[in-house]
Amino acid sequence: MRRRFVIEAVMVATYGQLLVPSRPVEYIIPYSTIMELYDMKDGPEPVMDDPEDDRHVKQKIGELIEFFAEPLNRKKIERALQMPWRESPPLLLKEDVSFIVVHAIDNAQYGELFDPIETEQILTAIKYQVPLLTDQLELQDRIIEAEVPVQVFDIEDFEYAVEVGTEIDWETSRDL
């Protein structure tokens, strides 16, 4: 059983450990976060503070953009974009890593506390009832303070999240 997480596309490019999980993982990615990759790759703003790290991450962002632009993947994504909340079929990156791209739609439900990308991530996590994975401590704090009904994990706790989720999934399936 794959462990599922909602995540921004840039996090996958930034944190290499997300591509080598101890168990199969499926990342649910709002489409708007894929569009952000283009701005990050070509924009003047650095993604990382260290210039060498910034070059490396921008290279990884470029590779991820190429992956999403491959004809079969692009076709799957375009199909998902035809309707709000439609999801793409799985895009297999590696044997243990796949992506589902969702045409998430921001609504005003959390608009005062969160920006549109954060809102889409939260709504996607709620809709699919899967945890949100992020490196933004401020976002995690705001989710907790606002009592948003979503489980959130810090990227630093990724392996723990994969293991805990597997145990929870196993316990749930055992009871069926």
Side-chain angles (χ1 to χ4, degrees), residues 73 76-77 79-80 86-91 99-103:
N73 293 338
K76 289 178 180 181
I77 292 169
R79 230 179 287 142
R86 191 172 200 182
E87 63 184 63
S88 73
L91 311 175
F99 300 109
I100 300 269
V101 177
V102 175
H103 183 54

Side-chain angles (χ1 to χ4, degrees), residues 156-174:
E156 296 299 319
D157 299 325
F158 172 66
E159 280 304 319
Y160 172 76
V162 170
E163 295 302 320
V164 166
T166 304
E167 291 171 13
I168 291 170
D169 294 340
W170 185 80
E171 287 295 326
T172 304
S173 65
R174 189 177 65 165

Side-chain angles (χ1 to χ4, degrees), residues 23-107:
R23 299 183 190 238
V25 174
E26 186 169 70
Y27 297 112
I28 302 173
I29 300 176
Y31 179 72
S32 59
T33 71
I34 293 173
M35 297 311 299
E36 272 190 324
L37 292 175
Y38 292 93
D39 295 334
M40 291 178 174
K41 179 182 177 284
D42 300 326
E45 296 282 325
V47 178
M48 306 293 284
D49 293 331
D50 179 5
E52 189 174 314
D53 289 345
D54 189 58
R55 275 191 301 281
H56 177 74
V57 168
K58 285 187 176 185
Q59 176 189 347
K60 293 299 178 188
I61 288 172
E63 291 172 9
L64 196 55
I65 288 170
E66 288 176 19
F67 171 78
F68 289 124
E70 289 176 4
L72 180 60
N73 293 338
R74 187 178 68 240
K75 185 175 183 178
K76 289 178 180 181
I77 292 169
E78 286 172 355
R79 230 179 287 142
L81 296 176
Q82 293 176 0
M83 288 178 41
W85 293 107
R86 191 172 200 182
E87 63 184 63
S88 73
L91 311 175
L92 190 62
L93 179 68
K94 301 167 84 174
E95 183 178 332
D96 288 342
V97 178
S98 63
F99 300 109
I100 300 269
V101 177
V102 175
H103 183 54
I105 301 295
D106 174 16
N107 69 20

Side-chain angles (χ1 to χ4, degrees), residues 9-20:
V10 72
M11 298 291 169
V12 177
T14 307
Y15 295 96
Q17 73 265 30
L18 299 177
L19 298 178
V20 288

